[in-house]
Amino acid sequence: MEKLTFYALSAPEKLDRIGAYLSERLIRDVSRHRYGYVCIAMEALDQLLMACHCQSINLFVESFLKMVAKLLESEKPNLQILGTNSFVKFANIEEDTPSYHRSYDFFVSRFSEMCHSSHDDLDIRTKIRMSGIKGLQGVVRKTVNDELQANIWDPQHMDKIVPSLLFNLQHVEEAESRSPSPLQATEKEKESPTELAERCLRELLGRAAYGNIKNAIKPVLIHLDNHSLWEPKIFATCCFRIIMYSIQPQHSHLVIQQLLGHLDANSKSAATVRAGIVEVLSEAAVIAASGSVGPTVLEVFNTLLRQLRLSIDYALTGSYDCAAGVSTKIIKEHEERMFQEAVIKTIGSFASTLPTYQQSEVMVFIMNKVPLPSTQQSIEAGKAGENRNRLTQIMLLKSLLQVSVGFQCSNMLTALPSAFLDRLLSAALMEDAEIRLFVLEILISFIDRHGNRQKFSTISTISDISVLKLKVDKCSRQDTVFMKKHGQQLYRHIYLICKEESNVQSHYEALYSMLMLISIELANEEVVVDLIRLVLAVQEIAQINEDNLTAYNRCALFALGAAYLNLISQLTTVPTFCQHIHEVIQMRQKEAPYLLPEDVFVERPRLSKSLDRLGPEVFFWQSKISEVLGGSGYNSDRLSTPYIPQLTDEDRLSKRKSIGETISLQVEVESRNSPEREQRAPAEEITYETLKKAIVDSVAVEEQERERRRQVVEKFQKAPFEEIAAHCGARATLLQSKLNQIFEITIRPPPSPSGTITAAYGQPQNHSIPVYEMKFPDLCVY
C-alpha cells in the first residue's frame, strides 16, 4: 500500500487508471461474493483518496463513487455500511478543484431509502438507518458550499432528505431517558438514529440561505400532514423548536409565514389539526422574538383573526360546508372551542414578542375588526346573526385582552388613541354582561402600569391601606393631558355600567379596580374630585332606584361606594374626610351591614329589601364631603355640583330603551373639552316647560324638513320634463346674474386717494386700468 501510494503521488496522471483498475476488481469481487477482497479494495481506495489531493483527482473520484454506488446497491448490510463509511470519509475532503459533471442523485435516493430500513434484526436495522443518516449528512456537506455541484436545496432532493431525518426523529418521545440536550447525552444515546438525525437536521437548516428556507420547511409540513402528527402536537412542536433554533435568526419570519400559509391551506381540516398548527405557531413565534418577526406583522394577526371567525362559523353551523350533516355538532363545538382558545393564546404570545409601537397597531387592528352596532359597521340580523356577532365580539375582545396584558407603555395618550378608545368604550355599553366585563378588564390592564391590580381583586373596607404596599408615582404631564381629554368619557361609561341590572360580583370587582387604579395611576387633585362626585352619583342611583335595580345590585353599589371612599380618603390623607367616611362605615356596620362589601361580595350575600327606609346617617353626603375637602384646598364648588353624564351619539347607537338615558341633558358646570369656557357661561335654567318645548320643537323641525325633502323628490320623479327644465333654467339665470355682479365689482379700478375720479359734469367715471399699469406700494411687490 505504501508503494502504491508513493507511485500515485509521484505520478498523479496515473491515478485515474489506478482507480479504474481497482473499481473493476471490486465490481467483479462483489458479484463473486469475495467480500474479503472487496474490503481490501475499499481500504486501498480510501487511503489513496486521503493521500492524493492533486488536480487530477476528479477522474479518480468518478471511479471511487462508482464503487461506493455498487456497494450501496448490494443487499448485504455490511457492504452498505462499508460503502457509506467510505463516502463519509470522501465527503470530509475539501477538493482543490470543482467538479462540473458529478451527480449525487443516486446517493440521496439510496441513503434516504436506508434511513427507512425495516430489517428484521433490530441491531442491523439501527446500523443501516444510522448509515443512511450519515450518508445524507455527507451529501449535504459535500454539495452545500459548492455552487458548481448539484443543488441540494432543490425540492427533488429536499423531499427525500427531510422526511428521512424526520422519520428517524419520530422516536424521540419513545426514549424516556433522553437527556435534555445533546451535550449531556451519554455515549450510548449519541449512537441512536434519533440523536444523529437531530444533529443532521440542525446542520442542514443551519446552512440554509434565505432563498432555501422554503424548500427545507415545506417537506416538514407535508410529513406532519401525511402522518397525522399535528394532533398530538408534541412531535410537531419538537420539530419546529429544532428548526427555529437551527436556522439563522434573520430568517425566522419566513418559517412563521409558511406556518400561516399552511394554516390557511388547512382551513377545512379538523379542529384538532388546526389547533396543533396554531400551537406550533405560538411556540415558533416566541422563539422568533430573538431574531426578526418580519415586516408583515399585521398579516399574521389578520390570518389568525380570519381563522377565528371561520371557527365561529363552523361551531354555529356544525359543519365545514353547508351541504354536510349536523350529526357531529356537539363534538365539533367542543373541538372548535379548543381551537379558538389556542388562537387567542397564540395572538397573545405573538404580540408579546413585538415592540411597543407595533403592539399598539395590533390592538387598533383587532379592535377595528370587532362588530359594533354603529352606522359604519353593519350588524348581521336574525338569531344566527346575533349569535355570530356575540361570539365574534367575545373572541376578539379576549384576543385584545391577551395582547393588552403584556403591553407596557408609560404614555397613556399613545397607548389609547382616541379612535381605539371610542370603539372600546362603545362596546362597554352593550347589553351582554360578558362583553362589558372584557372591556373593563382591557381598560384595567392598560391603566395598571405598576402591578397594583391584584391588590384590589377583593372589595373590602380595610382600616389601614399601608398593608397593601401600593406602588404610587406622581401623575405625569402626559397622564394629566390624557385625563383632561378622556376623563369625562371614562367617568360616563363607569356610571352607565353601574346602572346595568345584569352585573354580577366580577363586574363590581372590575369597577372597583378601575376606580382605584385611575386614582393611583392617573389622578391629580381635579381627577380625585371628579371620581368622588362620580361615586356619590353611583350611590344616588342605588338610593333613588329609577332603573328598578334588584336588591343585590343596589346593595352592591352602596358597598362599592363605601369601599372606594374608604381607600380614597386614606390616599388623600385629609383627617376630617377620613373621619366622616369612617363614621358612616361604622354606622353601617351597626345599622345596615348589608351596605358593606364584607356582607355583599360573598358566596351567600346577606341582603335587605327595606332599602327605601334607610336613615340619612348611613349615606355619604356630598355637602359634608364638599365642606371637609373644601377646607383642605380642594375645589368645593366643583365638589358640590352633582355629577350628571354627558349625552353622546353612543346612547342612540346602544340598544338601551331607557328614556332617561336617551334624553339626558348636560347640566354639569364643566365640559369635557373646555372647562374654562363652560364656567364663564352660566348654565341655562332648566324647567319642565323648557324640556317639553325642546323635545316638541326638535320633532316639529325634523318633520318639516322630512316633508320638504319628500316634496322635492316627488317633484323630480313625477313632473314633466319642460317644467323641470324651466325651473332649473330660472335658477341658472339667477346664478348668472349674481356672477355678473361679482365680476363687475372685481374689474373696477382701485379708488384714487381723493376718492372717486370725477368728470367735468360731476359724473363718476369708472376706467378699467390694466394690471401691469397699476401702481402698487413697494411692500406689496414680491
Side-chain angles (χ1 to χ4, degrees):
M1 196 64 228
E2 284 177 13
K3 288 181 180 177
L4 180 62
T5 307
F6 177 77
Y7 177 66
L9 286 170
S10 57
E13 69 277 0
K14 302 289 185 183
L15 196 58
D16 57 325
R17 290 184 64 191
I18 295 171
Y21 172 75
L22 283 171
S23 172
E24 187 184 330
R25 282 292 303 268
L26 181 131
I27 291 167
R28 190 172 64 209
D29 290 337
V30 167
S31 59
R32 292 178 181 178
H33 306 291
R34 294 176 177 174
Y35 300 126
Y37 290 119
V38 170
C39 293
I40 292 169
M42 283 312 296
E43 181 66 28
L45 276 168
D46 287 348
Q47 288 194 28
L48 284 171
L49 202 59
M50 302 303 285
C52 306
H53 285 195
C54 58
Q55 290 186 357
S56 58
I57 198 173
N58 269 335
L59 294 173
F60 175 68
V61 169
E62 288 301 316
S63 302
F64 169 78
L65 291 178
K66 196 174 175 184
M67 291 162 67
V68 171
K70 186 68 179 174
L71 292 179
L72 293 175
E73 283 173 350
S74 168
E75 292 180 4
K76 296 283 182 185
N78 290 339
L79 292 185
Q80 293 174 16
I81 293 165
L82 181 69
T84 305
N85 291 340
S86 291
F87 183 83
V88 170
K89 288 176 189 171
F90 159 68
N92 290 326
I93 296 172
E94 290 187 17
E95 295 180 55
D96 297 333
T97 52
S99 169
Y100 294 88
H101 51 80
R102 207 178 288 160
S103 171
Y104 293 97
D105 292 9
F106 167 77
F107 295 101
V108 171
S109 301
R110 185 61 187 140
F111 288 137
S112 299
E113 197 178 328
M114 287 167 69
C115 288
H116 290 86
S117 171
S118 56
H119 198 280
D120 296 335
D121 189 319
L122 179 62
D123 287 341
I124 294 174
R125 182 167 72 229
T126 302
K127 285 178 181 175
I128 293 173
R129 286 186 180 182
M130 288 184 69
S131 289
I133 297 166
K134 286 177 183 173
L136 289 177
Q137 195 173 23
V139 173
V140 171
R141 284 178 181 172
K142 197 68 187 166
T143 58
V144 78
N145 291 324
D146 192 346
E147 292 180 2
L148 297 171
Q149 303 277 11
N151 187 2
I152 203 70
W153 301 107
D154 284 347
Q156 60 184 14
H157 298 311
M158 282 289 116
D159 290 348
K160 293 172 186 171
I161 294 172
V162 173
S164 302
L165 297 175
L166 293 178
F167 175 78
N168 286 281
L169 204 60
Q170 264 173 260
H171 305 287
V172 69
E173 274 74 42
E174 292 172 12
E176 293 288 333
S177 60
R178 182 174 177 251
S179 301
S181 77
L183 296 174
Q184 299 168 347
T186 62
E187 285 302 316
K188 188 178 178 183
E189 282 176 335
K190 279 187 178 177
E191 291 302 309
S192 71
T194 299
E195 201 65 48
L196 195 59
E198 184 177 330
R199 282 209 303 275
C200 185
L201 185 62
R202 286 181 186 277
E203 185 180 336
L204 175 72
L205 293 165
R207 294 170 181 265
Y210 182 86
N212 303 326
I213 293 285
K214 188 176 179 182
N215 288 349
I217 303 300
K218 193 176 178 183
V220 178
L221 299 172
I222 293 169
H223 182 84
L224 295 172
D225 282 345
N226 292 343
H227 296 271
S228 304
L229 294 170
W230 291 112
E231 291 176 42
K233 83 180 180 240
I234 301 165
F235 178 70
T237 307
C238 171
C239 277
F240 274 90
R241 203 175 284 132
I242 291 169
I243 290 167
M244 296 306 290
Y245 281 121
S246 301
I247 61 172
Q248 296 170 43
Q250 66 269 28
H251 300 157
S252 299
H253 68 279
L254 292 174
V255 180
I256 303 289
Q257 282 175 356
Q258 278 199 269
L259 275 168
L260 287 167
H262 197 66
L263 182 59
D264 273 342
N266 282 275
S267 290
K268 292 193 176 182
S269 298
T272 46
V273 172
R274 284 178 283 131
I277 299 172
V278 168
E279 289 276 356
V280 170
L281 189 60
S282 175
E283 288 271 345
V286 172
I287 297 168
S290 59
S292 145
V293 181
T296 56
V297 171
L298 291 182
E299 188 54 41
V300 172
F301 290 95
N302 198 24
T303 302
L304 290 171
L305 294 178
R306 184 168 63 246
Q307 290 298 325
L308 200 58
R309 191 149 199 148
L310 278 173
S311 176
I312 291 166
D313 286 343
Y314 294 156
L316 286 171
T317 57
S319 62
Y320 297 124
D321 49 37
C322 299
V326 291
S327 56
T328 57
K329 184 168 186 177
I330 297 167
I331 300 168
K332 278 186 181 171
E333 276 187 1
H334 170 66
E335 289 176 351
E336 292 297 340
R337 183 57 56 88
M338 285 173 55
F339 170 70
Q340 289 158 16
E341 293 299 330
V343 171
I344 290 166
K345 180 189 162 199
T346 303
I347 286 172
S349 64
F350 202 103
S352 66
T353 66
L354 301 174
T356 306
Y357 75 94
Q358 280 191 328
Q359 284 181 333
S360 293
E361 287 176 7
V362 167
M363 286 187 284
V364 172
F365 181 74
I366 294 173
M367 194 64 226
N368 287 336
K369 296 270 184 184
V370 178
L372 295 174
S374 65
T375 48
Q376 289 83 13
Q377 199 162 355
S378 60
I379 288 284
E380 291 183 56
K383 185 74 177 168
E386 281 180 17
N387 285 341
R388 184 175 284 108
N389 290 328
R390 182 181 174 279
L391 280 170
T392 306
Q393 288 158 352
I394 287 171
M395 289 302 165
L396 291 176
L397 288 172
K398 259 190 184 180
S399 306
L400 194 57
L401 181 59
Q402 280 281 348
V403 180
S404 65
V405 165
F407 182 70
Q408 288 294 328
C409 183
S410 55
N411 189 347
M412 291 296 291
L413 280 169
T414 54
L416 291 168
S418 297
F420 174 79
L421 190 61
D422 290 345
R423 284 185 66 81
L424 184 62
L425 289 175
S426 62
L429 293 181
M430 300 184 78
E431 290 179 339
D432 193 290
E434 195 176 356
I435 290 173
R436 290 201 308 276
L437 187 59
F438 276 127
V439 173
L440 286 172
E441 291 290 346
I442 290 164
L443 286 169
I444 286 166
S445 64
F446 276 118
I447 296 169
D448 181 25
R449 291 168 292 180
H450 293 90
N452 291 314
R453 166 76 171 98
Q454 293 306 316
K455 295 162 188 175
F456 305 118
S457 55
T458 54
I459 308 177
S460 62
T461 52
I462 55 171
S463 55
D464 183 13
I465 63 165
S466 61
V467 297
L468 294 177
K469 296 179 181 174
L470 299 173
K471 296 176 185 173
V472 184
D473 277 349
K474 188 180 177 184
C475 182
S476 66
R477 183 176 167 276
Q478 290 98 331
D479 292 343
T480 306
V481 173
F482 173 80
M483 288 308 288
K484 274 192 178 297
K485 189 175 181 184
H486 298 296
Q488 295 300 326
Q489 201 179 2
L490 286 171
Y491 307 149
R492 176 176 176 276
H493 283 82
I494 292 170
Y495 180 84
L496 291 176
I497 291 170
C498 286
K499 296 175 81 169
E500 291 289 347
E501 196 176 344
S502 57
N503 287 343
V504 292
Q505 183 176 334
S506 53
H507 288 86
Y508 295 113
E509 286 171 352
L511 285 164
Y512 174 67
S513 296
M514 185 149 167
L515 287 166
M516 285 314 305
L517 287 168
I518 292 174
S519 307
I520 290 171
E521 297 277 354
L522 305 169
N524 52 23
E525 187 180 302
E526 188 180 331
V527 172
V528 169
V529 168
D530 282 342
L531 287 169
I532 292 170
R533 290 170 59 227
L534 171 64
V535 170
L536 291 170
V538 168
Q539 178 187 259
E540 195 176 344
I541 293 172
Q543 195 176 345
I544 299 170
N545 197 24
E546 288 180 345
D547 297 283
N548 296 320
L549 296 173
T550 62
Y552 173 76
N553 292 129
R554 293 176 71 186
C555 289
L557 290 178
F558 282 126
L560 175 68
Y564 175 74
L565 289 171
N566 173 56
L567 277 184
I568 198 71
S569 64
Q570 294 181 58
L571 281 173
T572 53
T573 62
V574 177
T576 49
F577 183 32
C578 292
Q579 186 183 348
H580 169 64
I581 302 300
H582 189 59
E583 284 170 2
V584 175
I585 289 173
Q586 278 187 326
M587 191 57 70
R588 286 188 180 185
Q589 285 169 345
K590 289 179 189 173
E591 304 289 333
Y594 46 82
L595 301 184
L596 292 172
E598 285 77 8
D599 273 34
V600 178
F601 301 116
V602 288
E603 192 174 343
R604 292 183 179 176
R606 293 181 285 279
L607 308 174
S608 170
K609 294 186 178 176
S610 59
L611 293 173
D612 296 324
R613 294 195 293 274
L614 293 169
E617 67 278 358
V618 296
F619 296 122
F620 302 99
W621 291 99
Q622 189 149 3
S623 54
K624 179 71 175 172
I625 292 174
S626 175
E627 181 188 326
V628 295
L629 284 178
S632 300
Y634 285 83
N635 188 339
S636 56
D637 291 341
R638 195 177 180 84
L639 268 168
S640 57
T641 310
Y643 174 78
I644 296 174
Q646 296 174 338
L647 173 70
T648 68
D649 290 339
E650 285 172 325
D651 290 310
R652 301 183 188 95
L653 300 174
S654 71
K655 294 183 178 179
R656 288 187 177 75
K657 301 295 184 288
S658 165
I659 297 170
E661 285 176 23
T662 312
I663 317 170
S664 65
L665 293 172
Q666 174 61 25
V667 192
E668 58 184 325
V669 174
E670 85 290 355
S671 160
R672 180 176 63 185
N673 297 323
S674 53
E676 298 83 1
R677 189 178 62 192
E678 278 289 324
Q679 284 173 354
R680 286 199 298 269
E684 182 188 348
E685 187 182 352
I686 295 175
T687 62
Y688 172 75
E689 288 299 325
T690 54
L691 283 172
K692 183 178 176 184
K693 187 171 182 295
I695 295 167
V696 171
D697 287 355
S698 63
V699 170
V701 169
E702 285 181 10
E703 284 293 329
Q704 288 174 5
E705 182 65 20
R706 204 178 291 115
E707 180 62 25
R708 191 184 67 78
R709 287 180 182 172
R710 190 188 63 75
Q711 288 175 357
V712 170
V713 171
E714 191 176 339
K715 179 178 179 182
F716 275 87
Q717 283 177 340
K718 297 180 179 178
F721 175 75
E722 291 78 8
E723 187 181 331
I724 295 171
H727 175 70
C728 293
R731 294 189 65 178
T733 308
L734 179 66
L735 177 65
Q736 188 60 46
S737 65
K738 292 285 182 189
L739 286 171
N740 289 339
Q741 288 177 19
I742 292 165
F743 291 148
E744 279 182 23
I745 292 165
T746 53
I747 62 172
R748 283 178 187 167
S752 64
S754 60
T756 313
I757 301 170
T758 313
Y761 301 104
Q763 296 295 328
Q765 286 184 339
N766 293 331
H767 295 289
S768 179
I769 302 171
V771 175
Y772 56 82
E773 290 184 6
M774 290 182 187
K775 300 292 182 187
F776 293 97
D778 290 342
L779 289 173
C780 292
V781 181
Y782 178 70

